[in-house]
């Protein structure tokens, strides 16, 4: 029972353009959502989070959008840079559960 | 100065052996986790400890036993290793549940059982 899905295993964009990574979840009880970036041979690194009471959170080049009715969140990176090339994981969590459930990741390649 | 450190980084061992992976965090976090990343790249939670107390124990074989001697350390001991245990194991920590700042992960331990 996969509660979090990232339907695009990979995404390739040109440097300077926008990268949009998507994530769908099944349980409306999740109340906060996070994105992580992972480079090879390293652990995931936290990028940005959003609470279920918001629909947008912005931090520099990174913006997370939450559509609760569609159970969908997305991460926008603009402008994309070659250093952004990594695997991106979305994670969902419920305050009562005390754990994050991760998607299976999307590999982003930003071409110079 | 590494925030969450795991040792060893690589571990190759034979079926049936017992092995341990150590994890230490110097962030002052009160919650620590073990996650397993399998060949399909899913990160699945195994255990969570808060201030040395077991909070989450997912459906994990009894051969896996976590131990938290203090809130800065969370070790993972695996008995009678099987081929299917081969994976990358990540330790992580957070302040509380990590709502605003997420988890801080270690760099992972790649376990290969032969």
């Amino acid at each position: 029972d996969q509660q979090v899905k990232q339907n695009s295993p990979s995404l390739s964009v040109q440097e300077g353009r926008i990268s949009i990574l998507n994530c769908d979840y099944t349980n409306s009880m999740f109340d906060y959502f996070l994105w992580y970036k992972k480079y090879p041979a390293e652990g995931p690194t936290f990028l940005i989070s959003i609470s279920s009471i918001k629909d947008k959170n912005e931090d520099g080049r990174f913006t997370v959008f939450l559509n609760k009715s569609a159970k969908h969140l997305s991460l926008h990176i603009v402008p994309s840079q070659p250093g952004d090339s990594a695997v991106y994981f979305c994670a969902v969590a419920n305050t009562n559960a005390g754990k994050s459930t991760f998607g299976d990741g999307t590999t982003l390649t930003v071409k110079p | 100065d590494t925030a969450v450190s795991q040792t060893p980084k690589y571990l190759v061992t034979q079926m049936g052996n017992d092995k341990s992976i150590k994890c230490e965090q110097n962030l002052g976090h009160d919650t620590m986790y073990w996650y397993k990343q399998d060949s399909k790249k899913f990160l699945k939670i195994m255990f969570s400890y808060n201030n040395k107390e077991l909070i989450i124990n997912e459906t994990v074989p009894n051969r896996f036993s976590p131990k938290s001697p203090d809130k800065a350390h969370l070790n993972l001991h695996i008995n009678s290793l099987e081929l299917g245990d081969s994976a990358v194991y990540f330790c992580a920590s957070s302040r509380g549940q990590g709502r605003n700042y997420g988890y801080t992960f270690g760099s992972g331990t790649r376990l290969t059982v032969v």
Side-chain angles (χ1 to χ4, degrees):
Chain A
D1 178 23
Q2 196 173 338
Q3 297 188 69
V4 190
K5 285 188 180 180
Q6 295 177 250
N7 289 319
S8 298
S10 62
L11 174 68
S12 181
V13 300
Q14 207 66 35
E15 181 179 6
R17 308 293 281 267
I18 185 171
S19 295
I20 300 176
L21 299 113
N22 295 301
C23 179
D24 296 298
Y25 59 96
T26 59
N27 191 336
S28 58
M29 296 299 292
F30 293 127
D31 59 2
Y32 60 103
F33 308 86
L34 311 99
W35 284 94
Y36 290 80
K37 177 170 73 172
K38 184 183 181 302
Y39 293 120
E42 294 183 12
T45 302
F46 170 74
L47 269 178
I48 191 169
S49 66
I50 188 169
S51 163
S52 60
I53 63 173
K54 293 185 175 182
D55 54 20
K56 176 183 174 181
N57 189 24
E58 193 172 349
D59 184 2
R61 296 186 298 114
F62 301 91
T63 303
V64 56
F65 293 93
L66 176 62
N67 183 333
K68 288 188 293 293
S69 60
K71 296 190 185 68
H72 178 84
L73 68 153
S74 61
L75 176 68
H76 292 206
I77 306 172
V78 82
S80 300
Q81 299 173 353
D84 296 331
S85 297
V87 178
Y88 288 78
F89 291 95
C90 67
V92 300
N94 175 276
T95 301
N96 294 328
K99 66 177 182 180
S100 288
T101 299
F102 285 77
D104 52 349
T106 296
T107 301
L108 173 66
T109 302
V110 180
K111 297 180 180 177
Chain B
D1 195 17
T2 306
V4 180
S5 60
Q6 296 179 229
T7 54
K9 192 167 178 65
Y10 300 96
L11 185 52
V12 180
T13 188
Q14 291 187 326
M15 281 174 52
N17 283 351
D18 303 340
K19 289 294 179 186
S20 292
I21 306 172
K22 295 185 176 181
C23 179
E24 175 181 5
Q25 55 96 2
N26 62 6
L27 298 166
H29 288 168
D30 52 3
T31 309
M32 296 186 72
Y33 312 83
W34 277 109
Y35 274 80
K36 177 182 179 180
Q37 186 179 34
D38 59 22
S39 58
K40 294 184 179 179
K41 306 305 180 186
F42 281 103
L43 277 159
K44 294 181 182 176
I45 190 164
M46 301 172 69
F47 303 102
S48 168
Y49 271 73
N50 180 269
N51 284 316
K52 303 193 298 177
E53 184 178 340
L54 180 65
I55 301 297
I56 293 172
N57 183 349
E58 292 290 291
T59 309
V60 177
N62 291 336
R63 298 181 295 103
F64 290 80
S65 54
K67 282 189 172 49
S68 182
D70 55 60
K71 72 174 191 176
H73 295 84
L74 180 60
N75 304 321
L76 184 64
H77 189 76
I78 316 170
N79 290 327
S80 304
L81 278 154
E82 300 178 357
L83 292 176
D85 297 331
S86 296
V88 181
Y89 293 84
F90 287 100
C91 176
S93 70
S94 67
R95 178 169 292 118
Q97 295 188 30
R99 285 184 64 110
N100 296 320
Y101 301 104
Y103 299 168
T104 302
F105 282 85
S107 58
T109 296
R110 181 174 292 277
L111 171 66
T112 304
V113 182
V114 298

